Amino acid sequence: MTAFKDLDEATRRAGMEATIRTYFDGCNEADVEKMAATFHPAAVHYFPPGIGGPWKGARTIAENWRHLTLTIGSAWTIDRLVTDAQSLQAVIEWTHYKTKLNGFLRGDEWYVFDEESGLITEIRAYYASRSDGRDQVELEGFDYTDRGYHLTCPVSRPHPDARYSVK
């Protein structure tokens, strides 16, 4: 079988989009098997602090979304979707409707795909929300250091024209 990374770019792009859309269909249908089939078995779903993440494993991710669908009436839309076939990554904007609670949540997710199977290996969720007063707001359990993220501000602050002082 041909590795996902070795398929042509258009096929990879279409495959990534189809996998994400199938995942969301499975979420809306509360179909554990459909959702789990879109994930690598060792997939991880990261969340902002206080959500109870990360969720680890294809079945755990699927069972947790099924639970929310059945208990708070969760339903989702994909509002925007962008894929990068070369890096096997995608980003989406979504809306999570919580129909029993008469509310909704908007956010973004970053997807990483397995180069062999084309299945989702990682989702990093970012929510549109107010700051809760934390000085540092990061995904719980996500290793920013090993992934090469900036750990300090890359520019000198305060700016010479700033009207504030550093704490």
Side-chain angles (χ1 to χ4, degrees):
M1 184 171 158
T2 304
F4 189 72
K5 66 179 172 128
D6 295 331
L7 299 172
D8 66 86
E9 188 171 322
T11 302
R12 290 192 314 268
R13 180 177 289 113
M16 293 183 331
E17 180 171 346
T19 298
I20 293 170
R21 291 190 183 282
T22 299
Y23 165 52
F24 270 70
D25 289 345
C27 289
N28 286 326
E29 296 162 9
D31 185 332
V32 169
E33 298 306 321
K34 190 174 202 173
M35 285 182 273
T38 65
F39 287 99
H40 185 278
V44 180
H45 195 319
Y46 295 96
F47 295 92
I51 305 298
W55 294 347
K56 297 180 179 180
R59 289 206 66 82
T60 297
I61 295 166
E63 288 168 356
N64 286 343
W65 288 132
R66 176 178 166 77
H67 174 75
L68 289 176
T69 299
L70 301 180
T71 58
I72 65 169
S74 290
W76 295 264
T77 60
I78 296 173
D79 302 317
R80 304 282 186 277
L81 188 151
V82 177
T83 60
D84 180 4
Q86 189 167 2
S87 70
L88 300 180
Q89 298 180 79
V91 65
I92 68 167
E93 281 187 313
W94 47 258
T95 303
H96 175 184
Y97 295 93
K98 301 174 182 186
T99 60
K100 183 177 179 187
L101 306 175
N102 199 29
F104 63 88
L105 173 68
R106 297 194 191 279
D108 292 333
E109 288 177 339
W110 192 274
Y111 288 76
V112 179
F113 293 84
D114 179 63
E115 63 182 28
E116 293 301 316
S117 65
L119 296 173
I120 300 165
T121 60
E122 178 178 287
I123 300 175
R124 299 189 310 260
Y126 301 92
Y127 294 176
S129 61
R130 289 185 288 152
S131 172
D132 63 0
R134 297 171 198 247
D135 288 333
Q136 298 177 350
V137 180
E138 298 178 310
L139 297 172
E140 289 182 327
F142 186 77
D143 194 341
Y144 288 90
T145 302
D146 280 356
R147 301 292 183 97
Y149 282 77
H150 289 281
L151 301 177
T152 59
C153 182
V155 294
S156 179
R157 290 292 182 258
H159 186 278
D161 296 337
R163 295 182 180 146
Y164 68 93
S165 61
V166 177
K167 293 181 188 178

